Amino acid sequence: MRHISWIVTLPVALVAILFAISNRGIVTLSLWPLPFTLDTPVYLAALVALLLGFLAGGFIVWNSQRRHRRRARRESNRVLYLERELKEAQARAAAAEKRLAESTRPVSGPLPGSSGGLPVPAAETSAPTVH
């Protein structure tokens, strides 16, 4: 991207310099109802007019995009709000699952017919000793 900006900037700067060298004549600028006049080189008057036009166009475009920037800001805030809500809902769901698991677990001792969760030793399978 940096190279592209140089590719565009250098020719524009070269044209501006050549324009300034070629148009050094003096022009008188005045605004009719006001008594003020300004004597300035032609290149300066032209470049200032171009700069003012560029700034005015930039302002108009920036102002016309205001609606889209506002909408993007609103949607960004909504995403943050919904992400916060999701984290809170996940925390509540985890707490509810934990409470459910604790309420379904037996409170005292093993259930009848179970070994209480302890391993049962294997029965000896060796043949009885005969004397």
Side-chain angles (χ1 to χ4, degrees):
M1 192 66 178
R2 172 182 271 173
H3 299 294
I4 293 174
S5 69
W6 279 108
I7 290 172
V8 171
T9 303
L10 288 177
V12 169
L14 183 64
V15 168
I17 290 170
L18 290 175
F19 180 79
I21 291 172
S22 300
N23 296 293
R24 291 182 291 171
I26 300 295
V27 65
T28 301
L29 302 175
S30 63
L31 189 59
W32 172 67
L34 300 176
F36 306 110
T37 60
L38 179 66
D39 293 331
T40 184
V42 173
Y43 72 88
L44 186 61
L47 292 178
V48 168
L50 286 173
L51 178 67
L52 289 176
F54 177 78
L55 293 175
F59 175 75
I60 289 169
V61 170
W62 175 77
N63 194 31
S64 69
Q65 298 298 317
R66 179 178 33 139
R67 174 183 58 217
H68 301 293
R69 287 192 311 274
R70 187 181 328 140
R71 181 178 176 199
R73 189 172 40 248
R74 246 186 289 135
E75 288 178 0
S76 175
N77 290 339
R78 178 138 174 88
V79 165
L80 292 175
Y81 172 77
L82 291 174
E83 285 175 348
R84 195 175 325 120
E85 287 276 324
L86 177 63
K87 285 181 183 179
E88 290 173 4
Q90 287 173 339
R92 285 192 307 266
E97 286 178 5
K98 185 177 178 182
R99 284 193 310 270
L100 180 63
E102 289 174 355
S103 68
T104 58
R105 186 172 32 137
V107 177
S108 61
L111 295 174
S114 72
S115 62
L118 298 175
V120 178
E124 287 188 35
T125 57
S126 61
T129 309
V130 179
H131 295 285

